[in-house]
Amino acid sequence: MRYLVLVGSLVCSIIGVVTIGQVNAAAVYIDPSCSNNGDGTAGTPCAASGGAAGPFNTWSGMTWTAGNTYYQQRGTIYAGRLLITGSGSGDLDSQRIILDAYGTGDDPKINGSGQREAMRISGTRSYITMRNYDIYGSDTSVSDRNGLQLCDSAGVFCTSIKMEHLTVHDVVGGSGGFGGSGIWGYCTDCTIDDVTVYNIPTDGINIQNIGTLTLRNSYCHDVNTDLVNGFGDCVQLSGTATTMLIEDNIFDHTANKGKQAFLENTTGGTAGIVRRNEFYMGTENNGVFGFSLITAMPNTNIYSNKIIGGDRAIELLGSANVYGNLIGGARLWGLYVGQNGLTVNFTNNTVYSTSTTQTIGINVPTTSSTFNLYNNVFYGFGTAVLNGGAATIVDSTNSFFNNTANGSGFTPNANSLVSNPLFVNATAFKTQASSPLRRAGLSGVLCADARGHTFCWNPPDIGAYQATSGDPANTRSASTTRSAATTRSAATTRTAR
């Protein structure tokens, strides 16, 4: 648990002026349960009278000063909108504006009932850290509403915002086409780390003009709950970009229809990393296409992920290296190439289906694309690889088994394997000791393991799993587990790998 211990020297240092009253301090305390509004200089006890020593009892009217940390008492609820209207002066903690918690108990709560946002950064702002808050309940009937809003527009945007150990949930949808997101806004060079988002009418996280974005150790589930609007992604990234790091997350969009578990459709980026995540989509045939993962940023490395379900499990709108992933359970296609002229290196993946009649493993309908296909397993498809657009497909040492057709517009290389791969079972896709896939792959290509292992044999095993002693699971570290109230369900823990 991440409690901050406030020592006397921190209380006494003078960084700036924070006013609800007059206070010179680097630490400011808020306890909404107090009857009197103190001067913010101490966390306990409550002020004996208005303006006396003790915590503020409201966030309203706060003056924000670079270098200050603003602490809300754990176990308390602030009812209203927490509006942040200041910026830090630099990226060091001593320069940032920080919102945190103090005391013991549950994370402090921001209840946005009756508000358009529960927490909002307003104006063009930068260098703000928000950690250890439970944010929920925004439900005004005016326009869309959000749990946490990051600035206002493309011209009024946030920069270098850190969101750490937050829970954002139960934004209330509206009538008249109004929806609501868990986290929404324009945020360049921002970090989302250990954030849980759930029970959201439309998008769990919707960020535009991302610049360099880091999204890690986070969990999104039960979004698009407002089925009247019929849209909502766990994560949607758009606008301009430089690069992105998406790692160690769970995006579970199985509860409600349509849209994507993860959609990145940015412009201007040069490379990204998507690794060690789990993406889940439902497969209901309801006329609203759903995808587990869509990426557009050129030269993105997509590896060691579990990408399950959807009408299409993956759609590529930009060139990519896709390796060491478990991909399957889609209603139609495992991977779809959605733009002309892409270069895709697709290696050491296991791609599976539960229907040998209508599903396609890889669908390449585009022209002028180059698809390098090495060391993959294709299992249980109507057609394993469909080349419908005269793409160039270069292949070697792939395994094809239990497919109605191994190729259409494509003939597998003569050194492909068509014998039984001898999986331990037909759901885990790890191999038995006598499997022909072991040490049978082509060396010198991109290789990873679906559990996040960096080790590959030389030559590698074919498929997404490199055989290891005991096949250890890729478990989450203790630092990213949640309290009992918000813990990840057993169905989506890493041990399922």
Side-chain angles (χ1 to χ4, degrees):
M1 300 180 75
R2 306 180 201 166
Y3 298 123
L4 292 181
V5 178
L6 187 67
V7 298
S9 61
L10 181 60
V11 176
C12 297
S13 63
I14 299 175
I15 301 258
V17 177
V18 180
T19 60
I20 301 180
Q22 289 289 319
V23 179
N24 293 320
V28 180
Y29 297 92
I30 300 92
D31 185 343
S33 69
C34 290
S35 298
N36 294 318
N37 191 27
D39 63 2
T41 57
T44 56
C46 292
S49 60
F56 297 130
N57 65 2
T58 180
W59 286 97
S60 179
M62 189 69 69
T63 297
W64 302 91
T65 302
N68 282 0
T69 300
Y70 300 81
Y71 298 98
Q72 182 172 322
Q73 170 73 51
R74 289 183 179 275
T76 64
I77 301 174
Y78 178 72
R81 181 174 67 171
L82 198 168
L83 186 65
I84 304 168
T85 57
S87 293
S89 59
D91 198 34
L92 298 176
D93 276 359
S94 60
Q95 299 170 311
R96 302 178 73 87
I97 286 175
I98 299 176
L99 286 74
D100 208 332
Y102 76 98
T104 60
D106 293 338
D107 288 345
K109 301 179 186 299
I110 307 298
N111 179 358
S113 178
Q115 305 294 321
R116 183 174 174 181
E117 311 92 13
M119 184 182 289
R120 177 174 181 171
I121 302 174
S122 183
T124 299
R125 308 295 176 191
S126 58
Y127 303 119
I128 298 169
T129 298
M130 299 164 288
R131 64 170 70 107
N132 299 321
Y133 280 86
D134 184 339
I135 303 165
Y136 66 99
S138 48
D139 64 356
T140 180
S141 60
V142 179
S143 189
D144 292 341
R145 70 293 313 274
N146 307 298
L148 170 59
Q149 181 164 327
L150 305 171
C151 299
D152 304 329
S153 66
V156 185
F157 60 92
C158 288
T159 304
S160 190
I161 307 300
K162 294 181 179 180
M163 292 151 274
E164 302 171 351
H165 191 74
L166 302 177
T167 302
V168 184
H169 61 101
D170 291 288
V171 173
V172 181
S175 60
F178 295 134
S181 298
I183 299 174
W184 179 94
Y186 293 78
C187 200
T188 300
D189 302 341
C190 294
T191 298
I192 300 172
D193 191 349
D194 190 21
V195 172
T196 293
V197 181
Y198 67 95
N199 286 353
I200 305 298
T202 51
D203 299 314
I205 299 172
N206 185 334
I207 298 179
Q208 302 172 65
N209 295 357
I210 66 172
T212 297
L213 174 75
T214 298
L215 171 57
R216 60 162 61 102
N217 299 323
S218 295
Y219 180 30
C220 172
H221 64 97
D222 291 281
V223 300
N224 192 27
T225 60
D226 187 351
L227 299 181
V228 175
N229 291 319
F231 60 90
D233 309 309
C234 255
V235 175
Q236 181 181 138
L237 308 176
S238 59
T240 59
T242 302
T243 187
M244 63 181 178
L245 173 60
I246 313 297
E247 63 180 3
D248 299 307
N249 304 286
I250 298 175
F251 307 111
D252 185 350
H253 200 332
T254 56
N256 297 303
K257 68 178 183 180
K259 302 300 283 185
Q260 286 70 237
F262 186 95
L263 166 63
E264 177 269 310
N265 192 18
T266 62
T267 60
T270 56
I273 296 174
V274 180
R275 64 187 178 192
R276 302 190 305 267
N277 304 284
E278 298 178 17
F279 305 87
Y280 300 94
M281 277 293 300
T283 56
E284 66 273 23
N285 182 12
N286 55 27
V288 181
F289 256 42
F291 306 80
S292 291
L293 172 65
I294 299 177
T295 64
M297 187 176 291
N299 307 312
T300 292
N301 288 286
I302 303 169
Y303 64 94
S304 296
N305 300 285
K306 188 175 182 181
I307 308 167
I308 306 300
D311 296 292
R312 306 167 183 172
I314 306 178
E315 180 171 357
L316 296 178
L317 302 176
S319 296
N321 299 313
V322 183
Y323 56 103
N325 303 284
L326 179 64
I327 304 167
R331 185 175 67 89
L332 297 176
W333 308 322
L335 182 145
Y336 178 78
V337 178
Q339 293 288 342
N340 293 325
L342 302 187
T343 298
V344 178
N345 296 307
F346 193 84
T347 60
N348 278 97
N349 302 284
T350 294
V351 192
Y352 72 90
S353 173
T354 56
S355 171
T356 57
T357 56
Q358 77 177 96
T359 54
I360 297 171
I362 292 178
N363 187 351
V364 191
T366 57
T367 60
S368 306
S369 294
T370 299
F371 214 95
N372 298 312
L373 200 65
Y374 305 124
N375 301 347
N376 302 286
V377 172
F378 296 94
Y379 178 89
F381 288 98
T383 302
V385 178
L386 171 62
N387 183 4
T392 299
I393 298 180
V394 181
D395 72 302
S396 181
T397 58
N398 296 290
S399 170
F400 297 89
F401 188 72
N402 198 33
N403 305 299
T404 301
N406 293 331
S408 176
F410 160 80
T411 301
N413 188 288
N415 59 8
S416 298
L417 282 71
V418 293
S419 58
N420 190 329
L422 297 179
F423 296 126
V424 173
N425 58 62
T427 57
F429 299 102
K430 302 178 183 69
T431 57
Q432 300 178 35
S434 57
S435 169
L437 305 186
R438 292 198 174 188
R439 317 300 185 268
L442 180 69
S443 297
V445 300
L446 292 168
C447 180
D449 185 283
R451 293 158 295 190
H453 304 161
T454 57
F455 171 81
C456 284
W457 295 101
N458 187 16
D461 293 355
I462 294 174
Y465 293 102
Q466 299 295 300
T468 60
S469 177
D471 281 335
N474 179 26
T475 56
R476 288 185 179 274
S477 65
S479 63
T480 59
T481 58
R482 291 244 175 214
S483 64
T486 55
T487 187
R488 295 168 168 86
S489 67
T492 54
T493 56
R494 289 281 168 181
T495 53
R497 290 192 165 195

